[in-house]
Amino acid sequence: MYINVYRSGSVIASIDIDEQTVYTHQLMGEHKINAVFQTTAILPIQIGDYIVWRNENFYINTAPTIAKLASNLFQYTISFEATVYRLYDKLFMDEGAADFSYFGTAADFVQLIVDNMNSIDAGWQLGNIEDTEPQLLNFSNITCRQALNQIADAFKLEYALSGKTIHLTKQIGQSTTLTFEYGKGNALYSLTRKYVQDLNIVTRVYGFGGSRNLGYNYRNGAKRLQFASKYLEKNVTLYGIREGIYVNDNIYPHRDGTVTAINTSDPHIITDAGIDFDINQQLINGVTAQVVFKTGALSGYTFDIVHYDNTSKTITFKSFIDSNGYELPNSLNKPQIGDTYILVGISMPQAYIDAAEAQLQAETQAYLDQNSVPRVAYDLVIDRFYAKDNNLLLNVGDLITVIDADLGINQQIRVSAISYPLMYPENITATIADTVPFTIQEKVIAKTLTNERIIKEVNRTSIELSRLNALRYRELQDLIFDPDGYFDTTHIRPQSIETLMLAVGAKSQNFNLLDVAIIPNYQGDASKLFISDGQLIHNEVQID
C-alpha cells in the first residue's frame, strides 16, 4: 500500500507501507500515525511535510529516524501527528505576557487560544463550546496545547478538534447503537479487562465546598460548606468502608447579581433592584464585604464595599489599584447595566446556604457513584470480517454496548482509544472505559505544569503580602502616639544614633491583670464577651 507525502499541497514522495504503520487516537491524548517502512534511497522529506488519512492531515513535527540497513536499503521511523499537536508550537499569551491570570468562561479561554494560534497559523476557530460560569485561572509559560488541557480540567470538560476547530463540551462523542459480544457475527474477537491502577475505590465520601460567605456560627464553626450528614456512602457492604473526600471550592453560598442601574457621575456606585436581602444585616465582623464582577469591563476584579443602601438597593465600592498604579473603575473601564457580579465576604441568608449545600451533596453523590466501584478498562479486538462487512467506523468518545455474560458486562461504555494499521483499517483494537485515561506523556506534562503553577502562585502571593505588610506598617506608624508624654521632636533629630541599649515600648503599657477572667462566646453566644472583676497590677507606675 502506498501513501503520498505532501508539502504545500504537492506530492514530494510516495512511501510503501505495511501493517507496521499504525493509526492511534486517544481521547484528549495521542492522535498520530506511527510509520515504519523501508526504501532503497533517501527520501526528500522534512519537518512540516504531511500525509492525508481519512480527510485529515498528519504532520511531521520531529525529524524522522533513519537506519541504514545496507548500501541501498534504509528504514524510516516517522511519527505523523494530527493538527492538535500544532497547539504545542504557540506559547499561550495574553497581551504579550506568558505568565498571567485570566478570568472568563470556557468560551473566553478557547477564544484566547484561537487568537494565539491565528497569530502564527490562520484558520483556527471556535466550535461547540459548553456554557460555563467564569473562573480565574493562572498560566505560566505554557503552550496552547498545555493550556487547553488545563482549561478542560478546570471546567471539567472534554475537548476535541475537527481540523482547526476546537470543541470543548461535557462529553465528546455520541451514543451509538453498536453492540459487541462474543459469537459468530457478533463483532467481538477478544475482550480483556484491566484495572486502572491510579484510581482507588471509595465507599464513604466527605463533601466540602468553599469557605466563602459563611458566618462564624455556621455549623458550629465549620470553616467550609458541608451538608447535614457530612458524608455519603455507597457499596459499603461490598467493599467495606473506604473513605475519600470531595472538595469543590467553587460551591459556596452566593447570589448571581445583575447591575440594573448605574450612577453616571460616579462609577463606584451600582444598583441591583433584585437584591432580596439587606447586605448590612449579613456582614461578618472583621471581614470586608466585596463585590466581584463576573462580566463587563471589570470582570475578574474584586472591590471592597464601603456602603450599601437597602432602600435603593445601591452598592458603593472602593477603587482597586494594582501593583502598577492602575486604578479601576475609570472613565474607560466602569460598570454598565447588565454586568453580572457576586458578593463575597458576607454571611449569606439561609436560603442561599441551603441551595449551596444541596448542590454540594448532589456533586458529592456523583463523585461517589463514579468511584465506589472498581475502575476498569477493557481492550477489545473487533472481528475484522465483521468490521469490513459492516464498514465499521469507530470514533473516540462514542458510547458502544458491550455484552459478556462471563465477565458480567452488559452496558454502554465509552470508546477512549482506538488503533489499527492503515493497511488493514478493519483490524480495530479499542479501549473502552468510564474514565478518560491520559497517556503517560500527557500525565507528566500535567503534573509538571501543576507544580510550576503552584510555585508561581506562592511567589505572587508573597509579593502581594509584602506590599500589604509595608502598607500596614506605614499606617501603624501614623497611629502610634506617646502615652507617657515626653517625646520631644526638637531634641530627637540626630544624624546618627549610637547606643548600648535600646528600650522599646512605653512603661505605661507594662502591666498585668490579676484574677481577671475573659471568656469569649459567653454562655454559648458568639456575640457575648464576659470580663470579670479583678486587679490591674502595673510593673512601673504606682497605683493607689
Side-chain angles (χ1 to χ4, degrees):
M1 176 180 178
Y2 286 88
I3 188 166
N4 292 326
V5 180
Y6 296 86
R7 184 182 304 159
S8 302
S10 300
V11 177
I12 55 108
S14 186
I15 57 179
D16 185 10
I17 63 171
D18 57 18
E19 63 271 13
Q20 294 186 83
T21 297
V22 178
Y23 170 91
T24 302
H25 189 190
Q26 188 173 20
L27 185 60
M28 296 195 296
E30 288 184 280
H31 191 191
K32 59 180 64 175
I33 295 173
N34 291 317
V36 180
F37 58 91
Q38 295 178 357
T39 67
T40 58
I42 295 295
L43 300 176
I45 59 176
Q46 63 187 32
I47 292 176
D49 295 342
Y50 62 94
I51 61 174
V52 180
W53 178 251
R54 290 183 171 173
N55 299 317
E56 186 169 3
N57 293 351
F58 290 81
Y59 296 86
I60 300 176
N61 293 320
T62 55
T65 299
I66 307 173
K68 187 173 182 178
L69 305 181
S71 60
N72 60 347
L73 185 61
F74 303 89
Q75 179 170 288
Y76 277 78
T77 301
I78 305 178
S79 180
F80 296 94
E81 297 175 335
T83 307
V84 66
Y85 287 83
R86 182 71 167 125
L87 294 169
Y88 280 119
D89 296 336
K90 178 67 180 73
L91 275 175
F92 188 54
M93 307 180 74
D94 178 42
E95 297 181 351
D99 186 356
F100 65 96
S101 298
Y102 197 83
F103 182 82
T105 63
D108 295 328
F109 284 100
V110 177
Q111 183 63 59
L112 187 56
I113 290 177
V114 167
D115 293 341
N116 273 270
M117 292 305 301
N118 280 329
S119 69
I120 66 168
D121 182 21
W124 290 82
Q125 59 184 354
L126 270 69
N128 185 17
I129 309 295
E130 197 77 31
D131 289 331
T132 65
E133 290 292 315
Q135 290 190 42
L136 178 65
L137 300 181
N138 300 311
F139 303 94
S140 180
N141 305 321
I142 61 176
T143 67
C144 287
R145 173 67 184 273
Q146 294 163 338
L148 184 56
N149 282 328
Q150 182 181 336
I151 294 163
D153 180 62
F155 287 96
K156 307 303 178 188
L157 301 174
E158 298 175 0
Y159 66 83
L161 271 71
S162 52
K164 295 181 180 180
T165 301
I166 303 175
H167 307 279
L168 186 64
T169 60
K170 287 183 178 179
Q171 183 170 299
I172 296 297
Q174 305 293 328
S175 178
T176 72
T177 58
L178 296 171
T179 300
F180 298 88
E181 61 179 314
Y182 281 114
K184 185 178 180 180
N186 290 335
L188 201 57
Y189 179 75
S190 71
L191 176 64
T192 304
R193 181 170 65 183
K194 57 183 182 180
Y195 286 92
V196 180
Q197 297 295 328
D198 58 349
L199 296 173
N200 295 320
I201 299 173
V202 290
T203 59
R204 174 187 288 174
V205 176
Y206 292 83
F208 295 97
S211 58
R212 286 180 164 186
N213 294 353
L214 300 174
Y216 59 84
N217 58 348
Y218 173 71
R219 292 199 179 278
N220 298 319
K223 301 300 183 183
R224 284 182 171 273
L225 184 75
Q226 55 186 250
F227 43 86
S229 61
K230 296 186 179 180
Y231 63 83
L232 302 174
E233 292 184 339
K234 187 174 182 178
N235 292 339
V236 171
T237 55
L238 289 175
Y239 308 112
I241 295 178
R242 297 168 178 256
E243 291 191 337
I245 189 170
Y246 174 78
V247 180
N248 190 333
D249 287 319
N250 293 322
I251 302 177
Y252 59 92
H254 69 278
R255 172 184 174 274
D256 292 322
T258 302
V259 177
T260 58
I262 58 174
N263 188 313
T264 56
S265 60
D266 189 349
H268 300 81
I269 300 175
I270 60 173
T271 300
D272 180 358
I275 297 178
D276 55 356
F277 59 90
D278 187 351
I279 296 176
N280 298 317
Q281 300 300 318
Q282 308 300 139
L283 300 178
I284 302 174
N285 289 335
V287 179
T288 301
Q290 297 175 314
V291 55
V292 182
F293 284 90
K294 298 173 64 178
T295 62
L298 302 180
S299 64
Y301 287 94
T302 301
F303 301 88
D304 291 347
I305 296 175
V306 295
H307 179 70
Y308 173 69
D309 187 328
N310 191 51
T311 302
S312 62
K313 307 297 183 183
T314 298
I315 298 172
T316 304
F317 56 88
K318 290 173 59 177
S319 292
F320 171 85
I321 303 176
D322 67 12
S323 57
N324 297 322
Y326 187 71
E327 183 175 348
L328 289 172
N330 52 44
S331 59
L332 295 177
N333 299 296
K334 55 187 177 181
Q336 298 293 340
I337 295 175
D339 289 353
T340 59
Y341 69 92
I342 58 173
L343 299 171
V344 297
I346 64 174
S347 175
M348 293 296 290
Q350 190 61 42
Y352 291 93
I353 296 176
D354 293 342
E357 288 182 354
Q359 181 187 358
L360 175 63
Q361 183 166 345
E363 296 204 13
T364 303
Q365 184 66 57
Y367 176 83
L368 178 61
D369 291 343
Q370 191 177 37
N371 292 277
S372 60
V373 293
R375 308 301 295 276
V376 296
Y378 301 89
D379 284 339
L380 278 68
V381 178
I382 298 170
D383 185 343
R384 59 179 295 188
F385 299 106
Y386 176 92
K388 188 172 184 178
D389 293 342
N390 291 275
N391 196 25
L392 180 64
L393 181 63
L394 286 181
N395 296 305
V396 293
D398 285 351
L399 283 166
I400 62 174
T401 300
V402 177
I403 301 173
D404 187 280
D406 294 332
L407 293 180
I409 306 170
N410 186 353
Q411 64 186 95
Q412 275 200 324
I413 309 179
R414 296 186 73 196
V415 178
S416 62
I418 58 174
S419 66
Y420 54 81
L422 267 60
M423 194 169 182
Y424 304 110
E426 65 274 10
N427 282 4
I428 301 172
T429 298
T431 298
I432 57 173
D434 289 329
T435 60
V436 181
F438 285 87
T439 62
I440 294 176
Q441 293 88 343
E442 293 294 330
K443 270 193 170 182
V444 170
I445 291 172
K447 289 180 179 178
T448 302
L449 287 175
T450 300
N451 292 339
E452 183 176 347
R453 188 168 63 252
I454 290 173
I455 291 170
K456 290 292 184 180
E457 287 176 355
V458 169
N459 288 343
R460 185 179 296 112
T461 302
S462 299
I463 293 169
E464 293 304 322
L465 284 176
S466 297
R467 292 192 181 111
L468 287 174
N469 288 337
L471 177 62
R472 290 166 180 162
Y473 177 74
R474 295 305 177 192
E475 291 175 347
L476 178 62
Q477 282 185 316
D478 294 337
L479 295 174
I480 291 177
F481 64 95
D482 173 23
D484 296 326
Y486 56 60
F487 279 4
D488 187 346
T489 58
T490 61
H491 292 136
I492 305 180
R493 292 193 178 195
Q495 293 183 349
S496 66
I497 296 177
E498 296 181 8
T499 180
L500 293 177
M501 185 187 72
L502 178 65
V504 179
K507 68 179 182 179
S508 60
Q509 299 171 342
N510 188 6
F511 65 88
N512 294 309
L513 295 175
L514 179 63
D515 296 329
V516 176
I518 302 176
I519 306 174
N521 302 322
Y522 185 59
Q523 295 179 339
D525 189 339
S527 64
K528 289 185 178 180
L529 175 70
F530 172 80
I531 305 178
S532 73
D533 58 2
Q535 290 183 305
L536 172 68
I537 307 299
H538 208 287
N539 298 323
E540 296 190 55
V541 178
Q542 179 65 38
I543 300 177
D544 295 331

